[in-house]
Structure formats: structure tokens, C-alpha cells
Amino acid sequence: MAGDPVTLPERPDPAARVFRTEPVSLERDLLLDPGDLAPGRHVSRRLAGTSEDRLRWRGEAIAETLCLNPDGVTRVREALRAGHVVVLESDAFEPVVRAVARRLSIDRYVCRRVEIRDGKATGRVLPDLHLVRLDEATRPAPVFLSGAVPAPWSVRDALAGQRILISGATGFIGKVWLAQLLSQLPELGGVTLMLRARGQDPEARLAQMIASPVFAEVPADARAAVRAVAGDLARPDLGLSGDDRRHVVESTDLVINCAGLTEFNPDPRDALAVNVDGPLRLLELAREAGAAFLHVSTCFVAGGREGRVAETLDGTRTPFGLPLDATAERERLARQSVEGPRRRELVRLARDRARELGWPNVYTFTKSLGETLVAERRGDVPLAIARPAIVETSAFSSPGWNEGINTSAPLAHLLGTAFRQLPVNERKRLDVIPVDLLCRGMTIVAAALLEGRAPLVTQLATSATNPLNLERAVELTALAHRRFYRQGRTWRERVLGRLEATPVSRARYENLSAPRQLAIVRGLNRAIAAVTPGRRAPLASVEKRLRRATELIELYEPFLLDHEPVFEADHVATLFHALSEEEQVRFPWNPEAIDWYDYWIHVHIPALRRWAYPLIERRGSGRPKPVETSREKPATPAGVKT
């Protein structure tokens, strides 16, 4: 948190008409009972070792209980309406002062602060009063550009008049990106969506998609300009009719593939058709149309690579450094799919092969094969590959919008139950990117591709510029759940409001958590069944819940415990900083502006609770599966800075 030692401004004369600065005392002017707050210096020593996130959470909890003087609140609002600079003064616990300032839309406050080192309180009170500006609480981190800054250029000029074909527009990323394109780039020459008809007229499916809340702010004329054709990545010739294919070939300058099968270990036949062969079919369509091709992959094609992961593509080596022939691996998958046994055995064979080569699951394996083969066969087609990190809830535009069951939802849901111990590598960075920030980056990459200045690979990630480690993510998730449950009235909610998940080692998890508990419960059920044959085991439901929890942890284990990649994202930053100031405002790439506390507590977990958790609970399983649903936009919470 930013802050500089200051001298308190003098309290202005109330008889004067206009003040540039309006100091307001929390204790004297706003609290009905100043005794509700203890001076910050009296509580600081008890806070030693407490994380900064937990301090902010406690501060918000205290601030919610304070009774404010209506006259003081009116004075603050009138001063803000008059354009005065209101400064909140207090001797209270700094996170409380911050929370009250946010509650009253005051962007400056003065107080004594507890010293924070490595994200934790030392228990020492800093000697000077500090002025803090909320809009500077997360200072932009320095961006280190790789290579020379390119010549100035314009996203709008690059995309003006360009005709775009998008595959996968009905997905989470596709919807948000399409809404951004239509809202921010009226200069586009046209947008055509390739939609799986599913027995519907493609225009009818388009109308259903456009009804999503994410398109609420898109001008009606921009929405009306979108055209749909029936097509399917998994079918020969993309399932396009002759007329539709001719139209696409004659009226497309840029082909964009946002589609993908994102289930971790799907039927390899489906993964091959969508993640490998589908992009190759789109590449041939782009070649036929004389268009450029933007393929959306994933950062996690890095597999088991450690440390900083560069924005490069080496299709000749696996993550373990073994020789790789992507064509041979694709043919091996296809051959197994034709000759192989049942689906479960096919999945096991594909998963084992992926792990043998250095990928944790079928999804990352097939996505890697897809981008490698597209790069090898591109010929003279202008190509760019965008690799997103873990794509989650919107943060900047339509904050709190989410859809389906995304990557973090099953684990976050599990941590909101009685499950207490999550095995994680606490140092490992959880590379999360809000979907709207991702789409801004994709717009920049698409424009750069048409300008002939896009690198082959661009990673759209946050771990290198604004890291969030797993220890912090687990604590933020637990605090967000406690914040929700402490407002409840049932005995279950009161209990859950006092419980909190914690990160633990693999050994502790296996010996004291779900696996050991499952073994005990399973043994009891078998013993009881032996004594009372024919009767349902009394702990069957407990065994089922524990089995699901252990299966879910096993599924996510590579992302929780194994490897410590940090995804570089210099290419998009380089392109962004070459834009004019006006276009940097219009198309901001600013991962350093995300305040992870605000995003996780006030935006992301509430969005999951509203949209994802009901789907998980209805399915009775926390496994991530691609779904398509329309959503209402949640109430806009406080969060990140734009």
C-alpha cells in the first residue's frame, strides 16, 4: 500500500465558501460513538505475523459494524459534490480507516500504519502519519520490455475495415471478446461467427447468444451487423455449406479460433477433433481466403517446464526435453481412437502418454500439439498464437461477470465446505487473468497481426508482473467464504463462518485429511456391511463426498504442487507501450493494476458463488466441464483500478 509521511493540513475556516482540502475526522465528525474504535497503536502488537490481506478483511468487518453520524456523512457527500479534496483523519486501525474511506467514496486518508514486511505485519507502528490515496494503493509495477520498442502504431487503424471470422464465440472468452470488439471498434468491416447449429438456425442461436448480459452495453446497430454461419470444428471442411464457405472465403481478412475443449481429461477423440484438427481446418480456411490466422492456445502447453517460460514455440521438444514429432503423436492418438477399447481406457492411454512426455493431462497435451502443427503448416499464412493463463471473472468491464464452471471454481467451492486442508506448493504462482483484461490483450495481438508486427507467440498472463502465490490465494478464498457465511443465520453458516481452509504439505494432506479420512470411513462401511448385509452403509454419503474431494484434488494436483512456471508476457506489453496515449486508455493492458485482495474478495468469489457454485452443486461433482449458460450481471463491487 502506498503512503508518504505528511503533515496534517490545517482545518479550514467553516465561514469560507470554497476549500481545496476538506479534512474530516473519523472519531470527531463521523462516529456516533468514538469509543467503538480503539487507537491503532493499542492493537498493533497483537497483529504481528498477520497477513496484510487478513488485516484488510478484519478492517472491513469492523467498519461494517460502525454507526456513522448522518450529519457527518452528509457533510462528506456535499464536499465531494462540490469538488473538494476530502481527507479522512483517524488514529484507528489503518485497515478500518481504509474501509470507511471506501464506504464513503473518499480517496485519501491519514492515519498511523502498521509496518508490513513480505506481506505480513511486524507489530511495529510506523512513527509518522501517512497520507494514503486509494487510487494509488496498487502502484503500477515497472514493465521491462524485451528488445527495442516498436514504432508507434494504432489498433483502430489496423482493424479499420477488417472483416473477421470467429470460431468459439459462444464460449466464455469468445462472448466477452466479441462484446469488446463491437463496443470499442465501430470501424470493423464486419464480424461473422461460426456457430454449431445444434438443430437451430445459426441466426436464432446468434440471437440467443447476443441476449447475454455481457452484450448489454453493445450498441444495437453493432449487434445487428454480426452475421452467423453454421459450422463445426470437428467436421470435415468445418461443416460449412458451399454457399457459406464461399461467403467466408470472399469476405474474411482475419480468422480467429477461440474454440477449445477445456475438460482436463476428455475423450481423446473429441480432444483431437477440437484442439488439434479443428485449428488445422481453420488454418486451411484462412489460406484459402488469403486471411491472417489468430489461434488461441493456453500458457499451460508449457507442461512440466520450470521457472520463467519464454514466449517461444519449440515444437521439436517436450516439456521434459525429449524429442517430439507432433505429427506422429497426432497420428498415434488417431490410431488409438480407431483401434482402441472403451472410452475410459482411451482416456487412460491418452493421459498416460501426456504425462510420459511432460504434460499433466490430455487438454494441455492436445493444445500443445494443435499450436505446434499449426505453426509447422502455416506456410505463407500470417499467424499469431495467443496463450492465456487461467481465465477467470471479469474485473474491469462488467466486473463480476462469469459463466460456466471455470478452472478455479471447483476448488474454491470445495474450500467453502467443511473441507479444511488443501495440499499446495505455497510458493507456486497461481497465474490468473480476468477475462476482460485477456480480451484487451487479444485485441492488441489481433491488430498487430494485421499490421505484420505480431510475434508468433504472445502470452497473456500476470505471474511475471503481478504475482499471486497459492498460499495467498487459499487464504483469500477462505476469507471470502467467511465474509459470506458470517452474514448467515443458520447454525451451519455460523459454523462455516468460523472455519477456514489452510494450505498444507502433500504429506500432511495424505496423512490427516481426505485420503486418510476416506480410508477410515470406507473401512467402517465395509465392517458394518459385513455385520448387516443388505442394508445401506450408514456413512455412504460421507464416503461419496470424501471420494469426490480426493478425486478433485488428484485432478488438480499438477497445478497445485508440481512445477513452478512463471509466464513471461513482454510481447503484449511491448506492443501496448507503442500505442498512443489515447489508445492506451482505450485498450489498456494493465495486469499490475489488479488488487488481488479486492478482486478475490469482492469480485471473483462472489461471482463464483452466484454463477458457478449452483452448477457444481446441481451436478454433484466439482470437475470442470465446458457449459454454456446466460447470466445476469451481479452487482458491481469495488475492485481493481482501471
Side-chain angles (χ1 to χ4, degrees):
M1 189 181 299
D4 302 308
V6 298
T7 301
L8 278 174
E10 294 183 2
R11 185 171 291 277
D13 180 2
R17 291 187 175 182
V18 179
F19 307 122
R20 293 182 61 85
T21 302
E22 180 80 15
V24 175
S25 170
L26 176 57
E27 288 82 358
R28 293 193 302 272
D29 300 329
L30 290 176
L31 290 185
L32 288 175
D33 183 3
D36 288 345
L37 280 179
R41 61 182 181 275
H42 292 170
V43 299
S44 60
R45 291 189 179 278
R46 299 200 301 269
L47 302 176
T50 304
S51 71
E52 186 175 9
D53 290 325
R54 192 174 297 274
L55 292 181
R56 289 177 64 176
W57 182 82
R58 289 181 181 176
E60 289 181 354
I62 294 171
E64 289 172 0
T65 67
L66 298 178
C67 295
L68 301 184
N69 186 332
D71 293 337
V73 173
T74 300
R75 174 189 163 193
V76 169
R77 290 175 177 168
E78 289 177 350
L80 292 172
R81 279 196 296 267
H84 299 176
V85 177
V86 178
V87 180
L88 183 63
E89 308 168 9
S90 179
D91 192 36
F93 182 41
E94 190 267 345
V96 178
V97 183
R98 176 191 176 94
V100 173
R102 289 176 62 96
R103 179 176 169 184
L104 298 177
S105 300
I106 298 172
D107 64 0
R108 293 169 173 82
Y109 60 88
V110 174
C111 65
R112 297 189 185 278
R113 300 175 60 215
V114 175
E115 183 181 50
I116 302 291
R117 288 185 182 175
D118 299 325
K120 297 186 183 297
T122 65
R124 173 176 173 264
V125 177
L126 297 176
D128 298 311
L129 291 170
H130 281 71
L131 172 66
V132 177
R133 290 189 55 173
L134 287 178
D135 58 357
E136 294 178 353
T138 303
R139 292 188 182 274
V143 176
F144 300 97
L145 303 177
S146 56
V149 176
W153 69 296
S154 166
V155 168
R156 298 180 70 177
D157 289 348
L159 289 170
Q162 300 297 314
R163 300 160 299 174
I164 299 176
L165 172 72
I166 303 177
S167 171
T170 57
F172 181 44
I173 295 173
K175 278 195 182 80
V176 175
W177 195 18
L178 177 61
Q180 283 191 8
L181 291 174
L182 297 177
S183 298
Q184 298 178 349
L185 291 161
E187 304 92 342
L188 284 173
V191 177
T192 300
L193 308 182
M194 193 176 76
L195 306 178
R196 282 187 296 167
R198 294 182 174 177
Q200 287 181 296
D201 177 80
E203 293 293 337
R205 191 154 188 237
L206 172 62
Q208 290 180 348
M209 187 189 80
I210 293 292
S212 169
V214 78
F215 293 97
E217 299 179 5
V218 176
D221 57 341
R223 282 180 279 173
V226 180
R227 185 178 186 274
V229 296
D232 189 337
L233 284 183
R235 295 178 60 187
D237 295 325
L238 298 168
L240 292 168
S241 69
D243 289 342
D244 284 342
R245 190 174 185 93
R246 278 190 297 273
H247 165 77
V248 168
V249 168
E250 294 170 0
S251 61
T252 300
D253 302 302
L254 173 63
V255 176
I256 299 172
N257 179 35
C258 291
L261 187 59
T262 57
E263 186 179 352
F264 285 169
N265 288 304
D267 187 318
R269 292 167 292 192
D270 297 334
L272 183 65
V274 177
N275 294 344
V276 182
D277 293 345
L280 291 173
R281 294 185 180 110
L282 285 173
L283 174 67
E284 292 310 311
L285 180 66
R287 193 188 318 277
E288 186 178 348
F293 183 36
L294 173 58
H295 173 58
V296 180
S297 183
T298 172
C299 282
F300 295 94
V301 295
R305 291 183 175 88
E306 299 279 3
R308 295 186 75 88
V309 177
E311 297 175 274
T312 58
L313 193 160
D314 181 2
T316 65
R317 294 285 172 182
T318 73
F320 288 164
L322 303 173
L324 174 68
D325 183 336
T327 299
E329 290 298 331
R330 184 241 168 252
E331 292 174 354
R332 177 186 178 129
L333 274 177
R335 188 168 56 253
Q336 284 180 344
S337 299
V338 173
E339 302 171 355
R342 296 179 180 179
R343 179 186 185 279
R344 180 175 295 182
E345 182 63 14
L346 285 176
V347 172
R348 185 190 66 78
L349 289 171
R351 184 192 61 214
D352 290 350
R353 180 59 175 170
R355 292 177 176 175
E356 178 185 351
L357 297 176
W359 286 279
N361 50 46
V362 176
Y363 166 66
T364 53
F365 178 38
T366 54
K367 290 295 282 187
S368 180
L369 292 181
E371 70 170 39
T372 298
L373 291 173
V374 164
E376 288 179 356
R377 302 180 186 183
R378 68 184 184 274
D380 58 354
V381 176
L383 172 68
I385 297 170
R387 291 178 180 166
I390 299 171
V391 186
E392 294 293 352
T393 306
S394 177
F396 298 91
S397 55
S398 302
W401 191 79
N402 205 321
E403 183 173 69
I405 302 176
N406 295 319
T407 304
S408 70
L411 285 178
H413 178 267
L414 184 65
L415 296 184
T417 66
F419 183 87
R420 298 294 96 197
Q421 298 185 33
L422 185 68
V424 299
N425 175 350
E426 297 180 358
R427 301 185 310 276
K428 183 170 181 173
R429 298 182 182 186
L430 180 66
D431 203 317
V432 169
I433 183 167
V435 63
D436 50 341
L437 178 61
L438 165 70
C439 292
R440 293 174 183 175
M442 288 168 58
T443 298
I444 293 172
V445 174
L449 175 60
L450 291 169
E451 282 277 287
R453 63 173 68 218
L456 176 61
V457 174
T458 300
Q459 291 175 167
L460 301 165
T462 61
S463 57
T465 53
N466 190 1
L468 170 70
N469 63 42
L470 276 169
E471 178 186 24
R472 187 180 182 195
V474 171
E475 182 178 42
L476 287 173
T477 303
L479 294 176
H481 286 313
R482 288 188 62 190
R483 183 176 186 272
F484 172 79
Y485 285 124
R486 75 185 181 204
Q487 303 168 11
R489 296 182 179 179
T490 68
W491 69 267
R492 179 179 179 273
E493 290 172 328
R494 287 196 292 268
V495 170
L496 290 175
R498 293 181 176 276
L499 297 177
E500 189 169 311
T502 57
V504 298
S505 66
R506 189 197 304 261
R508 180 180 175 87
Y509 166 73
E510 292 175 348
N511 292 327
L512 298 176
S513 191
R516 179 57 56 88
Q517 295 165 11
L518 175 61
I520 293 172
V521 170
R522 185 174 286 159
L524 287 173
N525 281 333
R526 288 175 178 173
I528 295 172
V531 177
T532 58
R535 296 186 60 183
R536 183 176 184 271
L539 298 177
S541 61
V542 176
E543 181 179 341
K544 184 178 180 181
R545 287 196 298 270
L546 288 170
R547 187 182 69 252
R548 285 176 174 167
T550 55
E551 289 174 352
L552 181 65
I553 299 301
E554 181 181 359
L555 186 67
Y556 279 86
E557 189 174 282
F559 302 97
L560 297 174
L561 291 162
D562 302 333
H563 320 299
E564 297 182 32
V566 176
F567 300 111
E568 295 180 354
D570 289 344
H571 290 169
V572 66
T574 302
L575 293 168
F576 169 72
H577 283 278
L579 297 174
S580 66
E581 290 186 8
E582 185 272 333
E583 290 213 347
Q584 287 187 18
V585 172
R586 181 180 286 267
F587 308 104
W589 171 257
N590 52 346
E592 68 281 350
I594 302 171
D595 180 335
W596 289 118
Y597 174 88
D598 274 334
Y599 176 74
W600 218 260
I601 298 288
H602 297 298
V603 180
H604 181 49
I605 297 300
L608 294 183
R609 183 170 293 282
R610 182 168 185 175
W611 304 127
Y613 290 3
L615 296 176
I616 292 172
E617 289 161 4
R618 275 204 300 272
R619 294 180 178 195
S621 171
R623 294 195 175 196
K625 298 178 182 178
V627 296
E628 295 182 10
T629 56
S630 295
R631 307 245 182 224
E632 298 289 335
K633 185 174 79 170
T636 301
V640 293
K641 320 297 182 295
T642 56

